Amino acid sequence: MEMDLLHRFEAYIASDKKIEPKDWMPDAYRKTLIRQISQHAHSEIVGMLPEGSWISRAPSLKRKAILMAKVQDEAGHGLYLYSACETLGVQRDDTIEDLHSGKAKYSSIFNYPTLNWADIGAIGWLVDGAAIMNQVPLCKCSYGPYARAMVRVCKEESFHQRQGFQIMMTMAGGTEEQKEMAQDALNRWWWPSLMMFGPPDDDSPNSAQSMAWNIKRFTNDELRQKFVDLTVPQAELLGLTVPDPNLRWNEETGHYEIGEIDWSEFKRVISGDGPCNKERIETRRKAWDDGAWVREAAVAHSQKRADRRASTDTAAA
Ligand code: FAQ
């Protein structure tokens, strides 16, 4: 019986059909999805923090409104993703507990500080740009609810990327001081953005299996390369310099070559020792604790409605 189910699952994967929540799936497939989707959800929610702190300091009302909308979008992405994750049979509270306890990861990029307004431009341009590069292929992921959630997420990320690039254009074309701020932001966000794609392929324990299951459609290095090839000309258009003395165009391969990524920094950051890891988790824990009364009120309200419905049904019977 189990063999039949496995064959059916494999046939679905081979023919690029979506696996849906009620379909049988191997435990390891389920676990991988829970790991990736919950960590993706955590990244969206923790990702609100570095930008959220600039809402009150945005340089104009228009910039404030745009940034507020963007940060709210990230909250929405987190919610779609937690919901997609719940279709795999886990409780949202448990996944959040894993974030708070340090058991679950979230994207390394959100452990870096936002020091000035140019960082908001750099995040939109580079971080959302990297997120789109990674997430467009996830719209074709084999698990239906994750793939469908990604379609809307990518549309919104595309707006985020453009608003970031537009901030960079304004600053890079502004006063000398503004241009310096834009360059400084690129200097600080470039390498961490490249790390968002994950470790190199030969050091990525999950890639081979996730590719075989059509969860991942491209490897970490392939996506990183696509991002570099797309982004370097954008930096040139801005008149900014990518902070990599070894960056060069390879005529033969048709790709940019980059210098060595500091993987020891990446490992330090994902193991909890980045510049802002402690602050991020403490902020999330506090938000969770402070919001307890809202969750309790929502449960009490729905219980009250259910009780009322039951007593109306009894009276009608
Ligand atoms: N940070 O074997 P692999 C966004 C971990 S959303 C932290 O290669 P995999 C939107 C990895 O989990 C950004 N940890 O793993 C936004 C694994 O550890 P584990 C998030 C990382 O899963 C913008 C270990 O290293 N996007 O930015 C990172 O096959 C602006 C070994 O790695 C997603 O989550 C990292 N960078 O590939 C919001 C997309 N890289 O779990 C606000 C979905 C690797 O075994 C503002 N996720 N690790 O303990 C993915 O595509 C994949 O999970 C990868 C990693 C590519 C991230």
Side-chain angles (χ1 to χ4, degrees):
M1 177 65 177
E2 181 120 334
M3 253 353 242
D4 289 348
L5 292 169
L6 181 61
H7 283 142
R8 199 176 89 115
F9 170 83
E10 283 171 349
Y12 267 48
I13 297 287
S15 62
D16 235 351
K17 268 194 181 160
K18 296 282 177 245
I19 308 294
E20 297 296 341
K22 286 187 178 156
D23 292 335
W24 183 90
M25 60 189 86
D27 270 352
Y29 176 82
R30 188 185 296 277
K31 268 197 187 141
T32 288
L33 282 168
I34 292 172
R35 176 184 65 78
Q36 177 165 328
I37 302 173
S38 66
Q39 296 191 154
H40 192 167
H42 301 329
S43 303
E44 300 282 356
I45 298 299
V46 177
M48 295 167 71
L49 301 175
E51 289 176 297
S53 68
W54 278 91
I55 292 175
S56 59
R57 293 178 284 174
S60 69
L61 185 59
K62 187 174 153 200
R63 294 286 188 205
K64 189 196 282 273
I66 294 171
L67 184 59
M68 231 154 58
K70 177 186 192 293
V71 173
Q72 281 175 351
D73 283 351
E74 313 297 359
H77 299 174
L79 297 185
Y80 312 149
L81 287 163
Y82 284 126
S83 298
C85 202
E86 283 183 306
T87 65
L88 291 155
V90 283
Q91 296 292 320
R92 187 178 305 201
D93 287 11
D94 293 337
T95 61
I96 290 173
E97 178 47 39
D98 287 347
L99 168 71
H100 294 171
S101 70
K103 191 172 156 205
K105 297 186 172 73
Y106 57 90
S107 185
S108 49
I109 193 78
F110 302 119
N111 292 305
Y112 292 85
T114 38
L115 304 181
N116 64 50
W117 178 253
D119 289 13
I120 301 304
I123 290 181
W125 172 38
L126 300 173
V127 177
D128 285 280
I132 299 172
M133 193 55 87
N134 166 275
Q135 286 167 198
V136 166
L138 290 175
C139 299
K140 291 211 162 99
C141 144
S142 57
Y143 188 57
Y146 191 25
R148 288 188 288 275
M150 280 301 109
V151 174
R152 174 151 177 192
V153 168
C154 285
K155 285 187 182 156
E156 292 176 352
E157 300 290 21
S158 167
F159 150 68
H160 299 169
Q161 195 273 350
R162 277 150 205 248
Q163 68 83 40
F165 190 72
Q166 210 267 332
I167 292 176
M168 294 303 277
M169 257 177 29
T170 306
M171 296 201 70
T175 62
E176 212 36 57
E177 202 184 350
Q178 282 175 311
K179 186 166 179 186
E180 272 168 27
M181 283 167 74
Q183 180 63 55
D184 168 60
L186 171 58
N187 294 348
R188 284 180 292 107
W189 290 93
W190 174 254
W191 293 105
S193 297
L194 299 189
M195 293 174 195
M196 282 178 73
F197 295 94
D201 293 349
D202 53 14
D203 198 19
S204 163
N206 301 300
S207 274
Q209 184 59 76
S210 289
M211 298 276 288
W213 279 328
N214 289 346
I215 295 172
K216 283 169 99 162
R217 297 290 182 149
F218 295 94
T219 70
N220 299 354
D221 286 333
E222 283 168 348
L223 290 173
R224 190 169 11 251
Q225 184 67 55
K226 278 172 182 270
F227 174 75
V228 169
D229 289 344
L230 192 86
T231 312
V232 170
Q234 294 174 352
E236 282 166 6
L237 191 80
L238 291 170
L240 300 177
T241 308
V242 172
D244 178 356
N246 296 314
L247 181 75
R248 71 172 195 99
W249 173 251
N250 184 326
E251 198 64 56
E252 271 169 41
T253 60
H255 295 292
Y256 283 96
E257 286 172 7
I258 59 168
E260 195 60 37
I261 295 176
D262 183 354
W263 291 114
S264 63
E265 174 180 325
F266 172 75
K267 284 184 183 149
R268 234 181 12 255
V269 173
I270 67 169
S271 64
D273 197 18
C276 301
N277 295 57
K278 282 204 184 84
E279 182 187 328
R280 299 288 185 241
I281 290 299
E282 270 163 26
T283 308
R284 283 312 315 156
R285 274 209 203 107
K286 183 172 181 319
W288 181 253
D289 293 344
D290 290 351
W293 70 271
V294 180
R295 294 190 297 279
E296 282 158 19
V299 170
H301 178 66
S302 78
Q303 187 58 50
K304 225 176 184 175
R305 286 183 61 156
D307 290 349
R308 205 175 297 142
R309 219 174 299 123
S311 66
T312 321
D313 289 352
T314 317

